[in-house]
Amino acid sequence: MTIPMTLREYLRACDIDYEEVSHPREVTTSRIAQISHIPGDQLAKAVMLHGKSGYGLAVVPSTHDTDLDSLTALFQERFEFASEGEISSSFDDCDPGAATPVGQAYGLKVYVDDMLRHQPDIYFEAGDHETLVHMSGREFERLMDGAPHGRFSHHR
């Protein structure tokens, strides 16, 4: 599988400079970072949530876990983790478990953890278990411009 058209078209529409990076098939972000020789704090992962306002994505470093209490306090909305079925239906052109953190392309609100801000490079799942999207931290900031952000994760 290659980058889903939904993501590819969104990146093109936003005029984002990126590259695709292939890696051996792997499903966990910690293993992907390891086999790709990428610092885990530069590999962004998507965590799908639902709250009263609908579905959204928390985008955190692969080395961190999402703290729902911190998200609730920061954004004044109670969040819960979405089910696998909810994730699959929202990212229907992505492999199961390979949702991209660019939720805007799928009509989702995105919340970006401050631990990802100001990184020199950012990598994330491209929609399958064999491809990453790589871009500069500056391009990632541009891509996530306007997304609410704050510190809502903690190191595993």
Side-chain angles (χ1 to χ4, degrees), residues 46-50 55-58 80-82 86-87 90-91 108:
V47 179
M48 192 163 169
L49 312 164
H50 62 84
Y55 292 106
L57 284 184
E80 295 180 11
F81 294 115
E86 291 168 318
I87 297 167
S90 293
F91 292 92
L108 300 172

Side-chain angles (χ1 to χ4, degrees), residues 56-126:
L57 284 184
V59 181
V60 301
S62 68
T63 54
H64 286 61
D65 288 324
T66 304
D67 182 336
L68 292 179
D69 291 334
S70 295
L71 267 168
T72 295
L74 279 169
F75 303 113
Q76 286 76 51
E77 181 173 356
R78 187 80 188 139
F79 294 99
E80 295 180 11
F81 294 115
S83 69
E84 288 298 320
E86 291 168 318
I87 297 167
S88 293
S89 65
S90 293
F91 292 92
D92 61 351
D93 60 352
C94 294
D95 286 349
T100 175
V102 188
Q104 304 93 319
Y106 294 85
L108 300 172
K109 188 165 189 173
V110 175
Y111 304 89
V112 180
D113 190 90
D114 281 345
M115 295 300 294
L116 289 169
R117 301 185 76 213
H118 312 297
Q119 291 288 344
D121 291 282
I122 295 290
Y123 299 81
F124 56 82
E125 289 273 15

Side-chain angles (χ1 to χ4, degrees), residues 23-32 35 125 128-130:
H23 62 81
R25 183 169 177 76
E26 189 57 62
V27 297
T28 65
T29 54
S30 57
R31 283 286 301 140
I32 291 168
I35 65 174
E125 289 273 15
D128 64 13
H129 294 289
E130 298 174 348

Side-chain angles (χ1 to χ4, degrees), residues 39-54:
D41 57 350
Q42 291 181 10
L43 180 58
K45 69 177 178 181
V47 179
M48 192 163 169
L49 312 164
H50 62 84
K52 287 189 180 187
S53 64

